[in-house]
């Protein structure tokens, strides 16, 4: 009995929820409570009050990289090589573990060298390096083709992969950027 009223791409839904959530966290409650996408004045308020963002949706089957600036998605990219399942599979292969056990190891150990004696640190370092390269490539693309300064871009992590122990710190150290 449901009737479709509107559809939107996943990247737009992610950005809408992240930007609105950030506005709320920044105590800009009036903008947050009354914000409407498609309403120019509201979009301009958000654009003026926020700096460019790269949002990384770290999912089970792929990672989405979304560059958001000036109240709109400037571009997005799907990174199928960087995913929760790929990391778990790499742990399973390298440590010769069943997939379910490797998933537990991934969640317990994360990227923290003090946990699990750094047993899976190399696998995570490879993922961090790949992710950092993709972020740098996105920043370079944005700077070159859109003429925008990328020095103030902040990086926001979301989805299940964002909960990996020490991911935020590792990316911040690697990129010398604000990562949340």
């Amino acid at each position: 009995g449901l009737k479709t009223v509107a559809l939107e791409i996943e990247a737009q839904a992610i950005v809408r929820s992240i930007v609105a959530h950030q506005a709320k966290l920044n105590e800009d409650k009036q903008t947050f409570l009354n914000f409407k996408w498609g309403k120019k004045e509201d979009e301009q308020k958000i654009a003026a009050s926020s700096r460019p963002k790269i949002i990384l949706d770290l999912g089970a089957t792929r990672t989405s990289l979304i560059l958001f600036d000036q109240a709109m998605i400037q571009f997005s990219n799907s990174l199928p090589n960087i995913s929760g399942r790929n990391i778990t599979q790499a742990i399973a292969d390298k440590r010769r573990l069943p997939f379910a056990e490797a998933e537990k190891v991934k969640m317990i150990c994360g990227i923290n060298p003090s946990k699990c004696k750094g047993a899976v640190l190399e696998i995570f370092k490879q993922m961090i390096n790949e992710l950092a390269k993709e972020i740098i490539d996105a920043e370079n693309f944005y700077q070159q083709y859109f003429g925008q300064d990328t020095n103030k871009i902040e990086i926001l992590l979301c989805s299940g992969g964002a909960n990996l122990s020490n991911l935020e710190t590792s990316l911040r150290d690697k990129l010398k950027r604000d990562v949340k």
Side-chain angles (χ1 to χ4, degrees):
L2 297 176
K3 189 178 192 181
T4 303
V5 179
L7 298 170
E8 66 183 350
I9 62 169
E10 183 181 30
Q12 185 66 36
I14 291 167
V15 166
R16 185 172 35 82
S17 64
I18 297 283
V19 170
H21 183 70
Q22 267 205 317
K24 184 178 179 183
L25 290 177
N26 292 337
E27 299 299 322
D28 189 0
K29 290 182 179 141
Q30 201 57 39
T31 300
F32 174 72
L33 292 173
N34 299 320
F35 183 79
K36 293 199 177 22
W37 284 102
K39 189 175 172 190
K40 277 288 182 230
E41 312 89 67
D42 285 356
E43 290 180 4
Q44 287 169 347
K45 276 185 203 172
I46 291 294
S49 69
S50 67
R51 52 196 238 212
K53 298 165 186 9
I54 288 180
I55 299 170
L56 295 170
D57 173 28
L58 302 156
T61 58
R62 53 128 179 81
T63 290
S64 293
L65 184 151
I66 307 162
L67 199 143
F68 179 80
D69 191 15
Q70 301 171 20
M72 69 173 73
I73 295 173
Q74 299 297 325
F75 67 89
S76 66
N77 193 8
S78 183
L79 312 172
N81 294 338
I82 304 170
S83 72
R85 285 192 185 137
N86 287 356
I87 294 167
T88 303
Q89 191 61 57
I91 292 169
D93 294 345
K94 185 168 182 152
R95 306 302 296 174
R96 294 188 178 127
L97 296 170
F99 191 85
E101 288 295 312
E103 181 68 22
K104 288 178 188 173
V105 168
K106 177 178 80 174
M107 297 313 295
I108 293 168
C109 301
I111 307 165
N112 192 334
S114 65
K115 290 186 177 180
C116 308
K117 300 178 185 176
V120 292
L121 209 49
E122 271 313 304
I123 294 165
F124 281 112
K125 281 183 182 178
Q126 183 180 349
M127 185 230 9
I128 296 284
N129 289 338
E130 257 185 84
L131 208 46
K133 181 192 174 306
E134 292 291 346
I135 291 166
I136 291 165
D137 288 349
E139 288 177 344
N140 290 338
F141 177 82
Y142 193 53
Q143 194 165 32
Q144 182 177 358
Y145 291 99
F146 290 79
Q148 297 294 324
D149 179 25
T150 59
N151 290 326
K152 294 184 180 177
I153 287 180
E154 69 178 326
I155 299 163
L156 304 172
L157 308 175
C158 67
S159 264
N163 296 315
L164 285 171
S165 172
N166 221 31
L167 176 60
E168 183 181 324
T169 306
S170 297
L171 268 176
R172 185 180 300 122
D173 293 347
K174 182 84 177 164
L175 295 166
K176 308 293 185 239
R177 288 253 187 255
D178 191 17
V179 179
K180 298 177 183 171

